[in-house]
Amino acid sequence: MARFTFTSESVSEGHPDKVCDYISDSVLDACLEQDPKSRVACETLVKSDHVVLAGEITTNAKLDFDKIVRQAVKEIGYLETSEPFCDTTLKLLSLITKQSNEISQGVTEATSQSGDQGAGDQGIMFGYATDESAEMMPLPILLAHKLMKAMAEDRHAGKVSWLRPDSKSQVSLNYDGNEPLDVTAVVVSTQHTPAADQKKITEYVREELGPRALGQWWNKNLTLFVNPTGSFIHGGPSADAGVTGRKIIVDSYGGWGRHGGGAFSGKDPSKVDRSSAYFCRYVAKQVVSAGFAKKAEIQVGYAIGMAKPVSVKVDTFGTGDERAAADFVMNNFDFRPRAIIEKLNLLRPIYRQSTNYGHFGRTGLPWETVEKAAAVAR
C-alpha cells in the first residue's frame, strides 16, 4: 500500500474563532441549565474590544448575557487591561431574537408533520472512528490537540509566564497504508509577551512541550517550526476577528474523516448539525470496537422537520466486513433526533466542555462511550 504524509492542525481556546465558540456554548449551557427544552442558535463575533451576540433563542431561562460573556473570556485568559480585548473592558452588543415559528412547528413533536420531533434543519452529518489510537481518532489531529491542550495547561498554571492565549499547532505523520509510522513535522505558533523571543519559545517547545505532549510520537529528527514569522506578540481578538463555527475541521477529524459543513458550537441538540454528528461518531466507535472494521465512517442525511433520516451510509474503507457493519448499524441504532437526544442524554449543560481541543476523542463526553454490543440496541 502507498506511503504518504498527512497533516492536521489544532488551535487553542484563545484563538479568536474558538473564543467565539466558547462564548456561544457558554450561552447554550446557561440556557439548558435553567430550561432543558431551550432552543438555542447562538453566534458570536469578536473584534478588538467588541463582542457581538446574534442568533435565535427561545427559552424560559433568565439570562445575563453580559455576565456570561465576561466569565467565558476570563476563563480563557484575556485579562490584560492594556489590551483592547479584556474581560473587564469589552463592549457587548446583543442581537438575539426568538426561534422562527416555522422552524419550531417542524421540530416540535406536537406540531411536526412527521408526528415526531423533526430535524432542526436539512443537512448531512458524518461520524468517524479508527483503531490507530486508543481514542479511536486519527493521530495527526489527536497529537495536534495534545500540543495545544498541554500549552494551555502550562499557561493557566503559570508554569510559563510569557505564554498568551492565542496559539496554533500542526502535526504531520508518515503512513504506510493504514499504519502510522512517525511524525515528520510539527508547527507551533503561540502568542507571547515581549519577554520571550523565538529562540526561547523554540527551546520550550523542543525540550518540554513537544516530548511531554506527543510522548512516543516525539522524535529528535522531526522538522520543527516555532513562530515561523519570528514573533507573535499581537494576537487574539485584539488583533484578529473571530466568528463562531469557523474551525469545524479542527473540531472534528482534522480533515481525515469527512464533514457535512455544519458547525457545532452554540446549537442545542434539536439541531442535527450537532446532535447527529455526535451520534454518528458514537455509532462509528461501536462499529470499530465491535470488530467489524479497523476504520468506519457513518453518513446521515436529514430533511428539515422530518424525524427519520433520508439516508444512512456505512463505509469501512476496505478494512472490514462492510455489509455486516451496515446491518449492525441499521438494526441497532435509531437516528431520529428525539432518539439521539434520549440515547446520549443531550438536554444537559455539557457543551462548554466540548468546545476546545476537539469535540471527539476525549473522555467524559457521552458520544465517546464504547459499549458492549448488547447495550447499544435501540
Side-chain angles (χ1 to χ4, degrees):
M1 299 179 70
R3 289 198 175 199
F4 61 92
T5 304
F6 195 90
T7 303
S8 294
E9 73 158 344
S10 179
V11 298
S12 71
E13 63 211 54
H15 184 283
D17 294 331
K18 275 289 143 195
V19 171
C20 294
D21 286 346
Y22 193 62
I23 291 172
S24 293
D25 276 338
S26 295
V27 171
L28 171 61
D29 275 2
C31 291
L32 294 177
E33 188 172 15
Q34 299 179 49
D35 180 8
K37 296 183 179 180
S38 297
R39 298 278 173 79
V40 181
C42 181
E43 312 286 346
T44 304
L45 163 72
V46 294
K47 175 59 182 172
S48 299
D49 60 346
H50 281 77
V51 175
V52 180
L53 295 182
E56 300 77 47
I57 298 177
T58 299
T59 183
N60 291 317
K62 305 299 181 184
L63 302 174
D64 185 339
F65 289 124
D66 188 80
K67 182 178 180 180
I68 294 168
V69 169
R70 294 183 192 279
Q71 180 62 29
V73 173
K74 181 179 180 180
E75 289 172 3
I76 292 167
Y78 283 108
L79 312 175
E80 300 291 333
T81 56
S82 60
E83 293 291 325
F85 191 75
C86 172
D87 67 313
T88 57
T89 60
L90 62 82
K91 301 177 181 67
L92 173 64
L93 173 63
S94 176
L95 302 174
I96 301 291
T97 61
K98 291 187 176 182
Q99 183 182 61
S100 163
N101 288 332
E102 292 173 306
I103 294 176
S104 178
Q105 72 183 11
V107 175
T108 303
E109 182 175 346
T111 56
S112 170
Q113 292 187 30
S114 67
D116 196 351
Q117 179 172 337
D121 202 350
Q122 72 173 49
I124 55 173
M125 295 84 214
F126 290 90
Y128 181 80
T130 173
D131 69 353
E132 71 182 59
S133 67
E135 296 86 349
M136 294 191 187
M137 288 290 289
L139 272 167
I141 185 66
L142 183 69
L143 297 178
H145 285 323
K146 287 186 175 184
L147 283 167
M148 289 292 88
K149 191 171 188 297
M151 180 178 284
E153 289 169 350
D154 285 350
R155 176 173 60 85
H156 285 299
K159 180 179 177 181
V160 184
S161 62
W162 42 260
L163 282 173
R164 288 299 178 262
D166 191 2
S167 54
K168 288 184 173 184
S169 67
Q170 190 170 282
V171 174
S172 302
L173 263 86
N174 268 339
Y175 281 79
D176 186 356
N178 290 319
E179 298 302 319
L181 298 178
D182 56 359
V183 174
T184 62
V186 169
V187 183
V188 174
S189 296
T190 182
Q191 185 186 9
H192 58 91
T193 69
D197 58 18
Q198 188 181 30
K199 181 180 178 180
K200 184 175 185 177
I201 301 168
T202 300
E203 182 181 356
Y204 159 70
V205 174
R206 180 184 292 117
E207 303 301 326
E208 298 181 45
L209 179 69
R212 174 162 47 91
L214 268 56
Q216 69 182 55
W217 293 100
W218 180 262
N219 69 82
K220 294 182 179 179
N221 296 321
L222 60 79
T223 300
L224 178 63
F225 297 97
V226 178
N227 284 14
T229 66
S231 65
F232 186 3
I233 294 172
H234 303 290
S238 293
D240 298 311
V243 180
T244 298
R246 286 205 299 201
K247 287 293 175 282
I248 58 177
I249 302 305
V250 170
D251 287 344
S252 53
Y253 307 103
W256 191 291
R258 285 174 283 194
H259 195 292
F264 303 149
S265 290
K267 297 176 181 178
D268 76 86
S270 72
K271 281 73 173 173
V272 285
D273 278 343
R274 185 169 213 164
S275 57
S276 183
Y278 288 173
F279 193 61
C280 287
R281 161 66 174 172
Y282 168 80
V283 174
K285 289 191 71 172
Q286 312 314 310
V287 170
V288 173
S289 66
F292 289 103
K294 296 172 66 66
K295 302 177 186 293
E297 183 178 75
I298 314 296
Q299 188 217 44
V300 181
Y302 291 91
I304 187 170
M306 297 293 107
K308 293 183 178 180
V310 298
S311 67
V312 178
K313 183 180 184 295
V314 180
D315 192 343
T316 59
F317 306 96
T319 67
D321 189 335
E322 192 163 294
R323 176 169 291 185
D327 288 342
F328 172 69
V329 170
M330 298 309 296
N331 292 330
N332 290 284
F333 300 95
D334 189 341
F335 288 86
R336 293 174 301 149
R338 179 169 58 86
I340 291 172
I341 290 168
E342 291 175 355
K343 178 68 177 178
L344 299 182
N345 194 14
L346 295 179
L347 295 178
R348 298 177 290 155
I350 59 173
Y351 296 99
R352 280 158 46 98
Q353 64 183 296
S354 73
T355 310
N356 294 302
Y357 312 114
H359 289 243
F360 308 124
R362 294 163 45 212
T363 58
L365 301 172
W367 50 91
E368 289 300 310
T369 304
V370 173
E371 304 184 49
K372 294 181 180 179
V376 303
R378 305 173 195 235

